[in-house]
Amino acid sequence: MLDLTVLILTKNEEKNIEKCIRSFQGIARRFVIVDSFSTDRTVEIARSLGADVYQNPWVDYATQLNWGLDHTDIDTTWTMRMDADEELLPELVREMEQVIPTLEEDVKGIELRRRVIFMGRWIRHGGVYPTIMLRIFRTGFCRCEQTIMDEHMYLTEGRTVRLKHDFIDKNTKSLEWWIGKHNWYSDREVADYLDKQRQLESEDAIRPKLFGNQAERKRWLKYLLYYRTPLMRRAHWYFIYRYLIRLGFLDGKEGLAFHFLQGYWYRFLVDAKIMEQQKKEKNDEK
C-alpha cells in the first residue's frame, strides 16, 4: 500500500464514485471526499467504501479543491487529485506501486496521461489524447491555480516525473447530462474570457508559453491565439482543425459526436454568449 491520500470532489456522483474508488485496488491509504451537498447516494456509497466525507458549499473548482487540501487533515506523504468520473487502469496501479516508493526527494509531482472514453469509445485523435496532467504530488507542495476555467495544478517547488500508463475519464451519466454540464461550463468560459487579462498577469496562474509543457502551451494557444481570432468564426476553424487536420474522423461515429459537440457546438455556444454579453454592455452604456 502506498502512503497516499486520494482527494475527490463530488456532487451527485452515485453512478461514478464506486468505480473510481475501487479502481485503486487497495493501494491508497486514505480516500477523502469533499462533497457539495449531494442529494443522491454519493455520500452513503463513499462512506460504505471507507472514505472520509467532508461537505463544503461550492464556490468554484479551484476554491473547493484547495479547501480540501487545507481542511481535511491529509498527513500522507503523497496526495492525488481525482474526479469522480475517472478511474485508474490496472497497468497504472502497478506502475504507481513500483515507481512512487523509488522517487528521489526532489521529485514533488507526478504527471499522468488521461484517456477520454465517450459513448464507450476511446477518443484517440483530434488532439485529445494524451492529455498530460499533474495529479499526484507530495503533500503540501501543490495548489490549484485560482482561475475560472481550465484550472491546473502547480507545484510550489521541486520537479515532476511522468508515468507511462493512463487513467481514464469515463462518465457513466447520460448525454443529456453531458450537454447540461457543458452549457454550465460555457458560462464559466465567458467569465474566463472577460477575465483573461487579469489571469495573464496573475502570479499564481500557469503562464502562457508556446514551447512550455502541455498546460503552458494550451494556455498560450487559448489566450494568445484562439481568443484573438474572430468571434463566431473560430469555432468553425477549430472543428476543422480537430476533425480533419488532427484526424478526429478516425474516432468513428462516437468521435464525430464528441468532436462536434465538444469542439464545435460548445465553442460556438461560448462565442454566442460572449456576443450576448458584449451587446448587453453596449446597451448599458447608452
Side-chain angles (χ1 to χ4, degrees), residues 9 27 33 37 46 51 53 61 69 76 119 127 129 134 145 147 157 182 188 202 212 218 221 256-257 271-272:
L9 306 187
I27 66 166
I33 308 297
F37 298 95
V53 178
Y61 198 98
L69 294 174
T76 50
M119 290 187 171
Y129 176 81
L134 174 61
E145 59 173 343
T147 59
E157 64 176 79
H182 280 73
R188 294 173 59 196
S202 175
K218 288 176 69 175
L221 290 169
L256 174 58
D271 278 1

Side-chain angles (χ1 to χ4, degrees), residues 3-248:
D3 193 29
L4 170 71
T5 294
V6 182
L7 175 62
I8 308 170
L9 306 187
T10 60
K11 176 65 183 288
N12 294 336
E13 292 287 356
E14 66 179 8
K15 293 185 177 181
N16 290 309
I17 189 63
E18 182 171 356
K19 68 181 179 64
C20 175
I21 292 176
R22 290 197 184 280
S23 73
F24 282 80
Q25 301 179 25
I27 66 166
R29 188 170 301 281
R30 184 182 180 215
F31 288 89
V32 167
I33 308 297
V34 179
D35 183 73
S36 303
F37 298 95
S38 291
T39 56
D40 64 2
R41 297 179 59 245
T42 298
V43 170
E44 176 188 344
I45 293 170
R47 284 177 173 155
S48 74
L49 295 169
D52 296 327
V53 178
Y54 298 77
Q55 291 188 303
N56 191 58
W58 180 268
V59 177
D60 55 50
Y61 198 98
T63 299
Q64 192 78 333
L65 185 55
N66 287 327
W67 186 93
L69 294 174
D70 294 337
H71 295 90
T72 59
D73 301 317
I74 298 174
D75 59 3
T76 50
T77 303
W78 296 93
T79 301
M80 182 174 186
R81 176 211 141 183
M82 287 283 283
D83 291 338
D85 58 358
E86 297 169 343
E87 55 194 281
L88 305 188
L89 290 175
E91 310 91 87
L92 178 57
V93 172
R94 292 191 292 270
E95 187 180 11
M96 287 169 59
E97 283 186 298
Q98 294 167 3
V99 173
I100 290 179
T102 70
L103 294 176
E104 297 177 354
E105 190 61 33
D106 67 325
V107 175
K108 305 299 186 187
I110 303 172
E111 295 177 332
L112 303 179
R113 299 155 56 97
R114 186 182 69 177
R115 177 189 302 187
V116 173
I117 308 295
F118 184 79
M119 290 187 171
R121 182 165 186 142
W122 176 8
I123 305 300
R124 304 182 66 168
H125 303 91
V128 175
Y129 176 81
T131 300
I132 307 301
M133 312 183 89
L134 174 61
R135 285 302 189 91
I136 307 174
F137 45 88
R138 290 191 187 271
T139 301
F141 290 94
C142 190
R143 305 293 291 173
C144 182
E145 59 173 343
Q146 196 68 49
T147 59
I148 299 172
M149 190 66 185
D150 293 332
E151 311 87 349
H152 294 278
M153 306 299 292
Y154 67 93
L155 294 179
T156 55
E157 64 176 79
R159 65 184 179 95
T160 62
V161 296
R162 185 178 302 170
L163 299 188
K164 297 177 181 179
H165 295 101
D166 301 349
F167 72 99
I168 61 176
D169 180 333
K170 184 182 180 182
N171 202 299
T172 58
K173 296 180 182 178
S174 68
L175 183 60
E176 180 181 7
W177 175 89
W178 189 95
I179 290 172
K181 182 183 75 168
H182 280 73
N183 184 38
W184 174 62
Y185 279 172
S186 69
D187 292 333
R188 294 173 59 196
E189 284 275 11
V190 173
D192 178 79
Y193 175 84
L194 298 174
D195 194 47
K196 63 182 182 301
Q197 190 58 44
R198 183 198 67 79
Q199 296 189 42
L200 284 169
E201 297 171 355
S202 175
E203 294 182 359
D204 64 348
I206 301 294
R207 309 299 299 169
K209 191 174 181 181
L210 179 58
F211 298 106
N213 60 36
Q214 190 182 69
E216 292 169 333
R217 184 166 59 255
K218 288 176 69 175
R219 186 63 48 85
W220 188 92
L221 290 169
K222 181 178 181 180
Y223 283 0
L224 301 181
L225 180 62
Y226 184 81
Y227 276 164
R228 292 182 178 180
T229 56
L231 194 70
M232 311 303 285
R233 297 180 187 175
R234 56 197 180 197
H236 299 268
W237 299 338
Y238 181 55
F239 175 70
I240 290 170
Y241 169 75
R242 272 180 58 163
Y243 195 67
L244 297 179
I245 298 175
R246 295 301 301 272
L247 307 180

Side-chain angles (χ1 to χ4, degrees), residues 238-266:
Y238 181 55
F239 175 70
I240 290 170
Y241 169 75
R242 272 180 58 163
Y243 195 67
L244 297 179
I245 298 175
R246 295 301 301 272
L247 307 180
F249 63 88
L250 295 178
D251 289 323
K253 292 183 293 184
E254 298 87 355
L256 174 58
F258 180 81
H259 294 298
F260 178 82
L261 290 172
Q262 205 263 350
Y264 181 80
W265 169 80
Y266 171 65

